[in-house]
Amino acid sequence: MKVWQDFIVPILQYCFDYKEDSVKRKILIEDVANIAKLSELDKQEKLGSGELRYKNRISWAIWHLNLAGYIYQTAFAQYKISELGIKIYEEYHNKKISSSNLGKMVKENAINALEKNPKIIPDENNNIDSNDSSKDLKEYDDNPEILKINLLNKVKDLTPYDFEKLCIKIICNVYQVNEEELSELTKKSHDGGIDGIVSLDPLGFKKIYIQAKRYDGANVTDRIVRDFAGALDGKKADGGVIITTSKFNNAARITAERSEYNIILIDDDKLINLMIENKIGVRVKKTIEILDISDDFFDELQSDNDE
């Protein structure tokens, strides 16, 4: 599935083609999905909340473009390309700017706009419907699925070596072992496809062998699992873990299940969930204070009156 930045060009293209008219959000999302050539399988993929993933990501791109000033709202859930949007799309069309640089530009401008006005209280002069924008902002702050998408993108930006370090950190946190004393990276020694080792006890009787696959799009295949099993055989190990930023194809899952070794497969969803559960790469942004009636206070107050 494409990330939200991949939908920026299709959205601008569609709005540019209809620059004399406002386009409805619902129609925009479906037509952009077709422009981006999403498969039927892509369109069926859902988030944990049950929302269709492609609609979530296209909506996220629309929100960024709106906040950055490349499109604007003419009415509730209706958009039109701005003069700035026309200019930037023509630069892309004339190959003066790449799609990746365009995505970075939109993200940076959206973040700058958000930093200047964190509350984002729109008014009629900005052609923005306040209800719709407030909803978008709430999703930005509170939607756990948005956090997962952004966290996964951050992880994919790591170098393969840094991703291996992250995988070791995750396993050490899950099993609550000292990372400095009981883990090691092995890639530099070319240790047969094993990227890291975590010892579950100080003497090293029980070890977890790790293979890290930082993929972006391609699935992990059964060949990778078989090769990992061969590496485990050389270590006389009981099992190990393969962690990826992508998915495992069906053959890979079947191979792991049928292996004589206990091979655990952690795909992108499980990876991000483990990071969030163990607060790795994330921080608490805010806490909610919930008030309740203090019976002790009133009991004490009434007892003072009795005196």
Side-chain angles (χ1 to χ4, degrees):
M1 171 61 73
K2 298 175 183 290
V3 296
W4 68 262
Q5 290 94 331
D6 295 326
F7 295 107
I8 287 175
V9 170
I11 291 171
L12 287 176
Q13 176 187 333
Y14 188 87
C15 291
F16 181 86
D17 291 341
Y18 293 90
K19 57 179 176 288
E20 302 301 327
D21 305 305
S22 297
V23 293
K24 294 183 178 180
R25 184 189 190 95
K26 184 177 180 180
I27 296 174
L28 176 60
I29 289 175
E30 294 304 324
D31 286 348
V32 164
N34 292 330
I35 292 173
K37 298 181 179 179
L38 295 185
S39 67
E40 289 303 316
L41 191 61
D42 288 332
K43 292 182 179 180
Q44 293 173 8
E45 189 174 344
K46 293 183 178 181
L47 299 171
S49 62
E51 180 185 4
L52 291 172
R53 190 181 295 275
Y54 83 95
K55 288 187 176 182
N56 179 279
R57 294 191 176 179
I58 294 176
S59 296
W60 193 225
I62 292 172
W63 186 83
H64 275 82
L65 284 165
N66 182 28
L67 187 58
Y70 295 102
I71 61 176
Y72 62 92
Q73 287 185 253
T74 57
F76 178 77
Q78 294 187 37
Y79 299 86
K80 193 172 183 178
I81 193 168
S82 66
E83 292 298 323
L84 179 61
I86 292 174
K87 179 182 176 182
I88 203 69
Y89 178 72
E90 287 177 341
E91 289 182 1
Y92 165 78
H93 188 70
N94 294 325
K95 298 182 179 180
K96 292 182 179 179
I97 183 173
S98 66
S99 59
S100 60
N101 286 336
L102 178 56
K104 292 178 182 178
M105 186 183 304
V106 170
K107 184 177 181 180
E108 289 174 358
N109 289 341
I111 291 174
N112 290 337
L114 194 61
E115 288 177 344
K116 290 178 181 178
N117 187 2
K119 293 185 178 180
I120 306 294
I121 303 176
D123 56 37
E124 293 179 358
N125 295 327
N126 292 328
N127 295 311
I128 298 174
D129 184 271
S130 59
N131 292 327
D132 194 47
S133 294
S134 297
K135 177 177 180 293
D136 280 331
L137 183 61
K138 185 178 185 302
E139 289 175 351
Y140 183 89
D141 281 339
D142 301 329
N143 191 333
E145 299 303 331
I146 295 298
L147 171 65
K148 291 178 182 180
I149 290 171
N150 290 337
L151 184 57
L152 180 59
N153 288 337
K154 197 75 174 177
V155 172
K156 287 181 177 179
D157 286 340
L158 295 175
T159 65
Y161 183 70
D162 287 338
F163 179 60
E164 291 164 12
K165 292 194 293 183
L166 172 64
C167 292
I168 284 182
K169 184 177 291 293
I170 291 170
I171 298 301
C172 286
N173 272 267
V174 169
Y175 286 93
Q176 299 182 342
V177 300
N178 188 301
E179 181 181 350
E180 292 185 3
E181 296 179 3
L182 300 176
S183 70
E184 62 175 301
L185 284 169
T186 60
K187 183 176 180 180
K188 291 184 177 180
S189 63
H190 304 289
D191 200 0
I194 294 174
D195 298 318
I197 303 172
V198 173
S199 296
L200 300 184
D201 62 87
L203 297 180
F205 284 111
K206 294 183 178 180
K207 296 181 178 180
I208 296 177
Y209 294 89
I210 303 168
Q211 186 171 87
K213 292 296 181 184
R214 187 188 60 81
Y215 285 175
D216 189 3
N219 289 338
V220 177
T221 65
D222 53 319
R223 181 183 62 80
I224 298 296
V225 178
R226 286 197 301 270
D227 290 347
F228 184 57
L232 294 176
D233 183 62
K235 295 292 182 182
K236 300 187 185 308
D238 294 326
V241 181
I242 303 178
I243 305 176
T244 182
T245 53
S246 184
K247 300 288 186 185
F248 296 90
N249 65 20
N250 289 334
R253 294 186 180 280
I254 292 172
T255 301
E257 290 173 0
R258 295 177 177 177
S259 174
E260 61 182 297
Y261 301 99
N262 184 21
I263 298 177
I264 304 300
L265 305 182
I266 298 178
D267 63 9
D268 53 353
D269 288 334
K270 290 182 180 179
L271 165 65
I272 296 306
N273 285 334
L274 284 173
M275 290 183 67
I276 292 173
E277 288 170 8
N278 291 276
K279 290 185 173 58
I280 298 173
V282 296
R283 61 185 178 184
V284 176
K285 185 176 181 180
K286 61 182 179 181
T287 57
I288 300 175
E289 186 177 52
I290 301 176
L291 301 181
D292 193 12
I293 301 297
S294 173
D295 291 330
D296 291 340
F297 169 80
F298 288 99
D299 290 341
E300 183 178 347
L301 190 66
Q302 291 170 344
S303 64
D304 289 341
N305 290 336
D306 293 340
E307 295 177 1

